[in-house]
Amino acid sequence: MRFAILSFPGSSCDEDMVHAVLNIVGEGAEVVNHNQADLKSFDAVILPTGASFGDYLRPGALAQSSPAINSLKEFVKTGKPVLGVGNGFQILVEAGILPGAFLINKDLKFRSGNSTLNVENASTRFTAVYEEGQQITLPFAHHYGNYYVDKETAKQLKADGRIVFTYADDSHDGSVDGIAGVLNVQGNVLGMMPLPERAVEAIIGGTDGLPLFQSIIKNWSENNVSHA
Amino acid sequence: MTKVNVYVTLRESVVDPQGIAAKDALHKLGFDEVGNVRIGRLIELELSGTQAEIEERVKKMCEVLLVNKVIEDYSFEIGEVAGK
Amino acid sequence: MTKVNVYVTLRESVVDPQGIAAKDALHKLGFDEVGNVRIGRLIELELSGTQAEIEERVKKMCEVLLVNKVIEDYSFEIGEVAGK
Amino acid sequence: MSAMHEPTTQQIKDEKLYRQMGMTDEEFDRAVEMIGRLPNYTETGLFSAMWSEHCSYKSSKPILRRFPTEGERVLQGPGEGAGIVDIGDNQAAVFKMESHNSPSAIEPFIGAATGAGGIIRDVFSMGARPVALVNSMRFGDLSDARDRYLFEQAVAGIASYGNTIGIPTIAGEVQFDNCYSKRPLVNAMTVGLLNHEDIQKGLASGVGNTVIYAGAKTGRDGIHGATMSSTEVAVDKEAELPVMQAGDPFLEKLLMEACLELVKSDALIGIQDMGAAGLTSSAAEMASKAGFGVEMNLDLIPQREEGMTPYEMMLSESQERMLIVVKKGREQEIIDLFAKHNIEAVSVGVVTEDKMLRLKHKGETVAEILADTLAEDAPVYYKESKEPAYFSEFQAMENTEPVVTHLKETLTALLQRPTIASKEWVYNQFDTQARANTVVAPGSSAGVIRVRGTNKGLAMTADCNSRFIYLDPETGGKIAVAEATRNLICSGAEPIAATDCLNFGSPDKPEVFWQVEKSADGISEACRKLNAPIIGGNVSMSNEVNGVPVYPTPTMGMVGIVHDLSQVTTTAFKQAGDAIYVIGEAKTEFGGSELQQMVEGKIFGKVPAIDLDVEVARQKDLLKAIQSKLVQSATDLSEGGFAVALCEKAFDAQGLGAEVSIPGSSVTALFSETQSRFLVTVKDEHAEAFEKLVPDANRIGTVTATAEIVIKGEENTVLVEGTVEEFRSAWKGAIACLLNSEA
Ligand SMILES: Nc1ncnc2c1ncn2[C@@H]1O[C@H](COP(=O)(O)OP(=O)(O)O)[C@@H](O)[C@H]1O
Ligand SMILES: [Mg+2]
């Protein structure tokens, strides 16, 4: 499988994602620059975390001026998987690809650490290798991790099974209904604030992020085997 | 160049963590007469064009980039339009 | 309750990285007519008191808490003063 | 102000205008003598900046010479942007620590942020990729609102810069004492990695080569920052201060990536960041070090504001700027390289043979001074040194125990002291895991990152107990070094080199200068013995409020190498049933201790003694035991002594506790800060082997499966008994609690 790690100026954790996918998970991964942005040949796109455009104005906002956003929107339409973590999630939300918006953390401070998450939906292509209701631990690091959607939308998301992860502890930073990760309507785009790429090796932060990547790969190989 | 002030505020339905913190701090400092506090953004732009052009363009900038309509509202004020 | 808008802007000589980045983004999006962009804060306060009281108190709030005078300037506008 | 309105050379001399820029009469006369004429306004500015303490180290040079700076691993000692040590496999670690105290006293967020930004630049200007940040901070005791504000904002400022640029903060320290009230210390350290062939130096060599300016535009901000940081800041005169130089971490991220690409180019001759004294120091130093001259056309400098004078441009401390020398004819490709990263780069000058720093502006030569004169010929002061009266008084005192009535309450109170309490409130605001290499995040003795592609790790820490240094600078200096190496050893690392940040009061006070000298002696001796050469550092003098100097605070930053990542060890208990050992015996030594400060409200007397030979032996033994995988957890005993360290080992260990018995007088056994001690746990099956390797270790108890702390004294009397949870909650919430307190 070939992953594009879509990097904007300031997306400082792009290399971390490449490392996770390429060296640990063992699939193809390369950084794609936001200016070049030909995504067609890739099987999946990941928007890594970091502070694209310095998080200025609103996190994820200024990335909307990059040519890559249009290619990304095209890519989303193909139905192939797109994952945005941390700042990558914020970019997806600002682009309108995922619902909601981000506010500053409830206590106004940048926060980092580990959060315990509930896997709310283990039947998505991003979570199939987890168990439904499983609790996992993933690192997080953000200043605007306070996810907002209006009540109606939240209800709808829940009804549609599009809330993929929720915070099981008090590390939600104010997020509506403790939402930590959501899916788009088609089910091929996942955004999440916790950072699975920081939890793929025991030496640095556990391995609870691994099944997420394995799920994507499993789904891909199933589809591609049936095509063959 | 004409100066335009864009005022971006959080929508009423959205909780404003900064506003709440500011209100608490003001109360602690003895400013008990303060009720609600909301913190928004003031964007000062300099740009060229006629009044009508500016109006249209600034609106577009807000919609496309400067404002996140999911959580924010905006208004703007155009200063004296400079001749060309 | 009376509404007061406080406008907080970065002092001219202080670099505004946010403004610079926003300007670049606007240019990339085709808004070439935009010159300088500066990003400040808009603080909306609700408070009680007479016009004179409000004026004095808001000034104090700005000096003590709302504005960082080392790098910021401010001005404010008092809405219609509500009767008591 | 245009150049035309600047004072004439005669006015500068007659009206002694140079004094406003921080130059003394003697220094001005020296400058006049060296150039053989009166300097104009711009030139006077160049002298004042380059001859400030911050740039010239004029009063600290004689002290710095005492430091050991060489070692088999040292590839670059003091003198460049950062020092470099070999870590094997053709790789090297690059690091340095720097202060940003004055700016942080005025505007703590920006001051601390730009401090972090500056030291990151120092490291990537050597060709190294910054991989980790460390900080060391001092504030008043948080009872004052201004001190709370300074603390909160400085932490947020460091966090903002490091988090935005994407470099993890993996270690640090914060201590609180009212001697720092309204005069915080904010020291930031960056550690980078490079391959040997990529080492860069700040050299302007090769006649005809091109000088390129890259990065942010120059504004009127921070003019005379270098002189400011060498003088006491009057806190209530904010309005008159120069405009703060705000930082832009996003721009720096782009600049960093561009520079790291640039170092691979064979067109590059030299590179240096524009730090204190901006263009002046980078140009003069690059020329002087290389033995050439530099001529720049100031009209070409990218300017943020209109009508800037040469004086303003040369002294601006706008952030995120680099000065670069490239081979003649290769300019465009370098400019293109920067453009690709969205960074402005412009050719602004050439390297010349005549060793002059020559500046042109609007067709005229506005400054012409030998680069060496600026960079090398600052006066060197041998300041007067005098032993303060307090020292002999304290030395004459007997060691006594502070009076403690209730042991458990005292322990709980100690755990709540902000200097001892959990620093989670601080480090939770830092991205500690960016770059996905963090093996040990803040919360243990030292931070550890892995070196990708190897099985090695780098451990790092910053330490300084300034109370000890105040009471007895020489002993205190040794302790600062020893504490830093202990923190590394306890993490499984072998210390390889050190950096420092010498924060003191005014060196014009003989008593302060005595503190500088004595602590430097102590530091030097300990660094020699502990095999940690000092490869770079920074001096920050005149940290005073209303004429009262802060405690002498020569912070030590230290880096160690973990030879095999499986040897990484942390503070927390690992397993019930493990044997608990203490290495070293407690003596009644409370001078400068946390308990003394808490009980007496002041510090006095003799500080704990340190025998460096004992220290070296114990550290060697313990490291050997750790490397032989005999040790489950390790920590050194520092502030608060044994009882605090024992609790800390339980705080991060889910569901585990301890039961121990300790001999001797209970207050001493629990709270004394006797040096060279460690608390270690060992699997029962390894006990014998461990004891053989570490002869000074005494088995005192066992890790228990119940989350309780039970400390018994002589004849089995219970000294302290309580749940881990009650101690933990006192320790964990203390800082947040102090910050939320009113008044
Ligand atoms: N400002 C800070 N930044 C990052 N980490 C910090 C900071 N202050 C303290 N820490 C971390 O908290 C832990 C405890 O610090 P400290 O009490 O100074 O430890 P020690 O006594 O072992 O030197 C360490 O892991 C340290 O790195
Ligand atoms: Mg310490």
Side-chain angles (χ1 to χ4, degrees):
Chain A
M1 219 182 151
R2 283 185 69 230
F3 286 78
I5 313 302
L6 185 52
S7 181
F8 298 85
S11 299
S12 46
C13 300
D14 50 358
E15 292 295 339
D16 306 3
M17 192 58 89
V18 171
H19 171 73
V21 175
L22 189 68
N23 301 334
I24 308 301
V25 179
E27 298 289 330
E30 56 192 271
V31 171
V32 174
N33 182 282
H34 76 125
N35 275 327
Q36 144 204 352
D38 186 1
L39 299 169
K40 285 195 202 75
S41 62
F42 291 94
D43 301 311
V45 173
I46 301 183
L47 288 84
T49 194
S52 61
F53 296 92
D55 276 350
Y56 296 151
L57 193 63
R58 300 178 305 276
L62 298 184
Q64 308 310 315
S65 65
S66 287
I69 290 295
N70 293 327
S71 333
L72 180 66
K73 286 180 176 164
E74 289 305 311
F75 189 88
V76 168
K77 282 188 205 149
T78 65
K80 293 187 210 172
V82 173
L83 170 68
V85 304
N87 186 241
F89 184 12
Q90 293 166 332
I91 293 173
L92 290 170
V93 157
E94 282 282 343
I97 295 171
L98 288 174
F102 283 95
L103 297 166
I104 194 163
N105 291 349
K106 207 175 60 181
D107 73 356
L108 308 186
K109 293 184 185 66
F110 189 103
R111 287 197 331 113
S112 84
N114 288 307
S115 48
T116 309
L117 304 172
N118 298 312
V119 180
E120 296 284 345
N121 184 347
S123 58
T124 78
R125 67 163 83 181
F126 299 96
T127 51
V129 178
Y130 292 111
E131 313 252 314
E132 187 108 7
Q134 186 183 340
Q135 290 208 329
I136 59 172
T137 301
L138 295 182
F140 68 92
H142 51 238
H143 202 175
Y144 283 74
N146 182 353
Y147 181 67
Y148 171 83
V149 276
D150 59 43
K151 287 206 176 93
E152 285 300 295
T153 315
K155 229 189 218 166
Q156 195 61 47
L157 288 175
K158 184 149 196 210
D160 296 347
R162 288 165 59 198
I163 299 175
V164 179
F165 299 110
T166 56
Y167 295 101
D169 53 18
D170 57 4
S171 65
H172 52 75
D173 291 308
S175 298
V176 168
D177 293 347
I179 295 174
V182 292
L183 218 52
N184 66 343
V185 176
Q186 291 72 27
N188 68 321
V189 182
L190 172 68
M192 58 194 292
M193 285 318 283
L195 305 170
E197 79 281 12
R198 293 189 184 179
V200 292
E201 295 170 90
I203 183 101
I204 57 161
T207 54
D208 281 0
L210 268 182
L212 193 134
F213 296 98
Q214 290 159 347
S215 300
I216 300 174
I217 294 156
K218 180 164 170 260
N219 179 270
W220 182 84
S221 31
E222 281 165 8
N223 285 323
N224 283 276
V225 169
S226 60
H227 281 306
Chain B
M1 285 275 179
T2 302
K3 283 207 168 189
V4 177
N5 281 354
V6 181
Y7 308 105
V8 186
T9 52
L10 273 184
R11 292 205 165 174
E12 293 247 0
S13 51
V14 178
V15 192
D16 174 13
Q18 284 175 296
I20 294 172
K23 177 179 161 177
D24 284 354
L26 285 171
H27 284 182
K28 260 204 216 174
L29 291 167
F31 297 102
D32 300 313
E33 72 268 44
V34 176
N36 246 347
V37 180
R38 312 262 310 161
I39 299 196
R41 214 176 267 130
L42 162 62
I43 306 176
E44 300 172 295
L45 300 170
E46 278 176 21
L47 75 173
S48 52
T50 65
Q51 170 89 24
E53 279 166 7
I54 290 177
E55 200 158 327
E56 193 216 307
R57 297 286 281 176
V58 171
K59 210 163 156 187
K60 214 164 192 179
M61 290 177 211
C62 288
E63 306 278 328
V64 175
L65 187 78
L66 299 178
V67 180
N68 182 340
K69 299 257 310 246
V70 178
I71 43 171
E72 295 169 337
D73 287 324
Y74 71 95
S75 64
F76 56 89
E77 248 173 23
I78 302 179
E80 223 161 281
V81 177
K84 289 202 163 192
Chain C
M1 284 277 179
T2 302
K3 283 207 167 190
V4 177
N5 280 354
V6 181
Y7 307 106
V8 187
T9 52
L10 273 182
R11 283 193 179 181
E12 286 235 18
S13 40
V14 178
V15 210
D16 177 13
Q18 296 214 58
I20 296 171
K23 175 181 160 179
D24 283 354
L26 286 170
H27 285 182
K28 270 203 274 173
L29 290 166
F31 297 102
D32 300 313
E33 71 269 43
V34 176
N36 248 347
V37 179
R38 311 266 302 168
I39 300 189
R41 282 178 296 140
L42 160 62
I43 306 175
E44 300 172 296
L45 300 170
E46 277 175 20
L47 75 174
S48 53
T50 64
Q51 170 91 24
E53 278 166 8
I54 290 178
E55 199 159 326
E56 193 216 307
R57 297 286 281 177
V58 171
K59 210 165 156 185
K60 214 163 192 178
M61 291 177 210
C62 288
E63 306 277 328
V64 176
L65 183 81
L66 300 177
V67 179
N68 182 347
K69 297 248 315 225
V70 183
I71 49 167
E72 294 172 331
D73 288 325
Y74 71 94
S75 64
F76 57 89
E77 249 173 25
I78 304 179
E80 223 162 279
V81 178
K84 289 201 165 191
Chain D
M1 196 202 326
S2 86
M4 283 176 352
H5 298 123
E6 280 174 357
T8 63
T9 55
Q10 201 59 45
Q11 279 172 319
I12 295 168
K13 178 179 184 332
D14 294 347
E15 297 168 25
K16 302 194 191 304
L17 297 178
Y18 49 83
R19 283 185 182 176
Q20 296 165 8
M21 301 183 199
M23 273 179 105
T24 63
D25 295 354
E26 295 73 38
E27 285 167 355
F28 183 76
D29 293 344
R30 180 185 174 97
V32 172
E33 194 189 311
M34 297 202 83
I35 62 173
R37 60 182 165 83
L38 291 177
N40 64 25
Y41 193 70
T42 303
E43 291 171 329
T44 310
L46 301 185
F47 274 113
S48 75
M50 291 302 292
W51 288 9
S52 69
E53 181 64 35
H54 198 87
C55 290
S56 72
Y57 296 97
K58 57 192 170 191
S59 43
S60 45
K61 241 182 205 161
I63 302 292
L64 299 180
R65 286 194 198 116
R66 303 178 188 194
F67 287 152
T69 58
E70 279 164 24
E72 58 207 40
R73 287 182 185 275
V74 178
L75 301 175
Q76 172 69 56
E80 283 287 337
I84 308 180
V85 268
D86 181 27
I87 59 164
D89 301 316
N90 192 42
Q91 287 178 307
V94 180
F95 62 92
K96 187 171 172 229
M97 180 155 46
E98 205 160 76
S99 67
H100 237 216
N101 303 335
S102 298
S104 301
I106 302 160
E107 212 306 298
F109 185 96
I110 292 181
T114 49
I119 193 64
I120 292 169
R121 261 188 325 277
D122 269 329
V123 166
F124 71 72
S125 71
M126 303 299 295
R129 172 163 297 276
V131 292
L133 306 179
V134 178
N135 64 73
S136 166
M137 297 185 269
R138 298 289 182 281
F139 301 92
D141 72 3
L142 300 184
S143 56
D144 179 275
R146 174 74 185 167
D147 289 320
R148 292 197 291 267
Y149 174 79
L150 291 170
F151 170 52
E152 292 193 75
Q153 292 295 309
V155 170
I158 290 203
S160 153
Y161 210 102
N163 296 343
T164 306
I165 197 169
I167 307 169
T169 296
I170 68 160
E173 57 156 4
V174 202
Q175 297 188 2
F176 303 87
D177 193 292
N178 265 349
C179 73
Y180 305 105
S181 181
K182 304 194 175 66
R183 180 66 192 195
L185 302 182
V186 176
N187 298 173
M189 169 171 160
T190 299
V191 180
L193 275 177
L194 50 54
N195 292 329
H196 288 190
E197 65 272 16
D198 290 334
I199 295 176
Q200 300 302 326
K201 294 192 178 167
L203 294 177
S205 51
V207 174
N209 283 332
T210 303
V211 179
I212 288 182
Y213 170 116
K217 291 189 194 323
T218 295
R220 288 195 173 94
D221 43 359
I223 290 172
H224 269 300
T227 27
M228 179 178 91
S229 62
S230 308
T231 48
E232 180 190 349
V233 175
V235 189
D236 44 16
K237 284 206 193 135
E238 284 164 17
E240 293 164 29
L241 286 162
V243 178
M244 296 293 296
Q245 66 276 37
D248 181 349
F250 172 55
L251 182 64
E252 178 138 315
K253 163 74 177 167
L254 305 181
L255 186 61
M256 175 171 80
E257 296 304 330
C259 289
L260 291 175
E261 188 178 329
L262 174 68
V263 303
K264 305 280 180 194
S265 163
D266 67 349
L268 178 64
I269 304 284
I271 173 169
Q272 185 162 328
D273 92 293
M274 293 186 221
L279 260 175
T280 302
S281 65
S282 51
E285 284 173 16
M286 285 179 83
S288 165
K289 272 185 283 184
F292 287 86
V294 160
E295 180 176 316
M296 291 193 292
N297 180 354
L298 299 183
D299 299 333
L300 302 173
I301 301 289
Q303 294 158 47
R304 206 174 67 232
E305 296 175 71
E306 274 169 30
M308 289 189 70
T309 63
Y311 174 87
E312 290 169 331
M313 278 186 256
M314 292 307 291
L315 294 181
S316 161
E317 290 191 2
S318 292
Q319 300 289 296
E320 290 93 21
R321 303 178 301 160
M322 305 293 267
L323 202 64
I324 293 158
V325 174
V326 304
K327 286 184 188 156
K328 187 180 174 180
R330 307 279 299 271
E331 304 80 17
Q332 197 53 46
E333 92 193 54
I334 301 302
I335 290 170
D336 292 345
L337 183 157
F338 278 100
K340 196 177 81 192
H341 292 274
N342 212 9
I343 295 284
E344 182 177 16
V346 201
S347 300
V348 294
V350 288
V351 176
T352 60
E353 198 170 5
D354 64 6
K355 304 194 173 187
M356 288 282 176
L357 175 64
R358 184 177 299 107
L359 306 173
K360 303 246 172 165
H361 185 59
K362 304 204 162 139
E364 278 175 43
T365 299
V366 292
E368 198 169 18
I369 303 173
L370 274 175
D372 281 346
T373 301
L374 289 169
E376 293 293 329
D377 298 340
V380 174
Y381 296 124
Y382 295 86
K383 297 271 179 182
E384 192 191 332
S385 159
K386 186 175 152 218
E387 185 182 293
Y390 73 75
F391 180 65
S392 48
E393 231 172 83
F394 288 152
Q395 289 302 305
M397 291 182 176
E398 287 300 316
N399 276 326
T400 54
E401 283 185 354
V403 179
V404 165
T405 45
H406 195 294
L407 295 173
K408 183 176 169 185
E409 273 169 24
T410 301
L411 171 56
T412 307
L414 276 172
L415 290 167
Q416 286 173 304
R417 304 278 298 169
T419 291
I420 288 178
S422 167
K423 302 304 182 302
E424 244 182 58
W425 185 92
V426 176
Y427 59 70
N428 278 355
Q429 295 183 55
F430 302 137
D431 187 345
T432 59
Q433 298 176 79
R435 306 190 54 76
N437 286 327
T438 304
V439 177
V440 182
S444 191
S445 292
V448 182
I449 52 164
R450 67 172 165 195
V451 179
R452 272 231 194 116
T454 73
N455 194 29
K456 287 181 306 204
L458 286 182
M460 52 203 80
T461 181
D463 291 282
C464 179
N465 184 324
S466 58
R467 288 186 191 139
F468 291 160
I469 296 173
Y470 170 74
L471 292 179
D472 179 348
E474 186 163 357
T475 308
K478 291 180 193 168
I479 292 175
V481 175
E483 187 183 348
T485 52
R486 278 175 218 148
N487 280 328
L488 297 180
I489 298 277
C490 286
S491 307
E494 174 201 347
I496 53 174
T499 177
D500 64 65
C501 215
L502 308 179
N503 308 278
F504 289 91
S506 166
D508 294 332
K509 295 192 169 104
E511 288 85 359
V512 168
F513 199 68
W514 176 84
Q515 295 171 337
V516 179
E517 276 187 326
K518 288 291 168 188
S519 59
D521 284 344
I523 288 170
S524 301
E525 193 185 338
C527 281
R528 272 194 194 93
K529 284 255 164 83
L530 289 158
N531 207 8
I534 295 178
I535 62 166
N538 174 249
V539 178
S540 169
M541 299 286 193
S542 303
N543 294 287
E544 307 197 345
V545 180
N546 302 328
V548 182
V550 301
Y551 284 161
T553 315
T555 306
M556 299 307 299
M558 193 110 40
V559 172
I561 184 164
V562 179
H563 295 288
D564 175 345
L565 283 175
S566 69
Q567 295 165 353
V568 168
T569 303
T570 59
T571 299
F573 290 141
K574 297 297 175 311
Q575 213 178 332
D578 286 351
I580 302 176
Y581 286 88
V582 65
I583 303 174
E585 273 163 35
K587 301 191 190 103
T588 301
E589 295 182 306
F590 286 95
S593 67
E594 196 67 39
L595 184 68
Q596 183 182 64
Q597 174 73 41
M598 184 172 89
V599 172
E600 312 275 354
K602 59 183 182 195
I603 54 167
F604 54 86
K606 284 202 278 277
V607 302
I610 180 166
D611 179 333
L612 287 172
D613 293 322
V614 171
E615 183 76 46
V616 168
R618 287 186 188 158
Q619 289 193 20
K620 269 207 177 120
D621 295 346
L622 178 56
L623 184 61
K624 187 93 186 289
I626 289 175
Q627 288 173 335
S628 315
K629 310 245 174 94
L630 298 175
V631 173
Q632 291 270 73
S633 75
T635 186
D636 63 315
L637 304 194
S638 57
E639 290 91 353
F642 171 83
V644 165
L646 186 71
C647 287
E648 284 177 352
K649 291 181 81 70
F651 291 157
D652 248 356
Q654 301 304 320
L656 300 179
E659 189 171 334
V660 297
S661 300
I662 47 175
S665 152
S666 55
V667 172
T668 291
L670 291 171
F671 306 120
S672 156
E673 295 185 13
T674 296
Q675 294 299 300
S676 314
R677 293 188 299 154
F678 303 85
L679 205 57
V680 171
T681 61
V682 176
K683 274 189 184 157
D684 206 35
E685 71 231 50
H686 293 141
E688 206 175 312
F690 174 78
E691 286 171 23
K692 219 176 254 159
L693 269 182
V694 188
D696 290 350
N698 293 307
R699 189 166 177 160
I700 53 164
T702 314
V703 178
T704 57
T706 45
E708 275 168 21
I709 300 283
V710 182
I711 307 177
K712 292 181 179 162
E714 307 212 310
E715 291 162 11
N716 247 357
T717 50
V718 173
L719 304 178
V720 173
E721 186 170 22
T723 64
V724 170
E725 194 42 47
E726 62 183 307
F727 294 123
R728 184 199 279 125
S729 63
W731 173 78
K732 203 166 173 160
I735 286 184
C737 189
L738 282 168
L739 288 173
N740 290 330
S741 64
E742 314 233 350

